[in-house]
């Protein structure tokens, strides 16, 4: 038993070292926020083209509107903080999820979309919450704090579906 506890403690040391990393750079935050928004926008437009579920349609329309706004807000804040942000693009994970949505049909697509949205909003909530508390660029930190309650609302909405 003691040997197990020693192994568990030894395994936790590298994890603690990883968690004590330097704060995320402003450029990394902008890139990750943009990738998250682009996945949200593109996946929602894909589902809007095929879903017959009115509640899901309302949710997807709100995702397009809100994530287009957050992209504009993050871009403006980045410029105010002296950065030159690149146009946002989905990351590898987002591209993989989009491909899976394209491959799914009918109700299976709707179900997959809801599952993906739950995970994507958990990830986005962590990103914006972390940057709002530990970010180093003033304007980006402020906009991240403004985005947190919106993403929380999205998560709550999709969790209720």
């Amino acid at each position: 038993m003691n040997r197990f506890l020693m192994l568990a403690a030894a395994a936790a040391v590298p994890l603690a070292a990883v968690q004590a990393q330097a704060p995320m750079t402003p450029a990394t935050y902008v890139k990750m926020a943009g990738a998250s928004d682009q996945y949200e926008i593109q996946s929602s437009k894909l589902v809007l083209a095929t879903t017959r579920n009115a509640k899901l349609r309302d949710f997807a329309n709100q995702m397009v509107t809100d994530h287009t706004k957050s992209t504009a807000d993050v871009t403006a804040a980045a410029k105010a903080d002296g950065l030159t942000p690149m146009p946002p693009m989905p990351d590898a994970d987002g591209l993989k999820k989009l491909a899976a949505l394209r491959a799914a049909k009918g109700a299976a697509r709707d179900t997959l979309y809801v599952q993906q949205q739950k995970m994507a909003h958990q990830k986005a909530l962590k990103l914006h919450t972390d940057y709002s508390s530990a970010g180093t660029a003033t304007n980006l930190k402020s906009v991240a704090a403004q985005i947190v309650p919106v993403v929380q609302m999205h998560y709550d909405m999709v969790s209720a579906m």
Side-chain angles (χ1 to χ4, degrees), residues 52-143:
R52 295 174 192 252
N53 181 323
K55 188 174 180 180
L56 196 59
R57 180 173 293 284
D58 290 344
F59 176 80
N61 276 316
Q62 186 166 358
M63 294 309 97
V64 172
T65 299
D66 291 353
H67 288 281
T68 299
K69 181 183 183 316
S70 63
T71 294
D73 293 347
V74 168
T75 299
K79 289 178 181 177
D81 282 328
L83 284 99
T84 306
M86 298 295 292
M89 297 174 44
D91 59 14
D93 184 52
L95 291 172
K96 181 179 167 185
K97 288 177 181 174
L98 287 167
L101 273 178
R102 281 187 198 94
K105 304 294 180 211
R109 178 181 282 173
D110 291 356
T111 300
L112 181 59
Y113 174 74
V114 169
Q115 291 169 350
Q116 288 182 356
Q117 289 299 309
K118 286 178 187 176
M119 291 185 293
H121 280 91
Q122 285 175 328
K123 185 177 174 183
L125 189 58
K126 180 172 178 13
L127 171 68
H128 295 295
T129 300
D130 289 354
Y131 200 83
S132 71
S133 65
T136 58
T138 305
N139 293 300
L140 285 170
K141 190 172 178 173
S142 175
V143 84

Side-chain angles (χ1 to χ4, degrees), residues 55 118 155-161:
K55 188 174 180 180
K118 286 178 187 176
Y155 179 75
D156 293 344
M157 289 170 65
V158 76
S159 293
M161 291 186 172

Side-chain angles (χ1 to χ4, degrees), residues 23-40:
M24 179 183 302
T25 68
T28 299
Y29 169 71
V30 171
K31 182 177 180 179
M32 291 177 71
S36 175
D37 282 342
Q38 283 302 300
Y39 162 75
E40 295 291 345

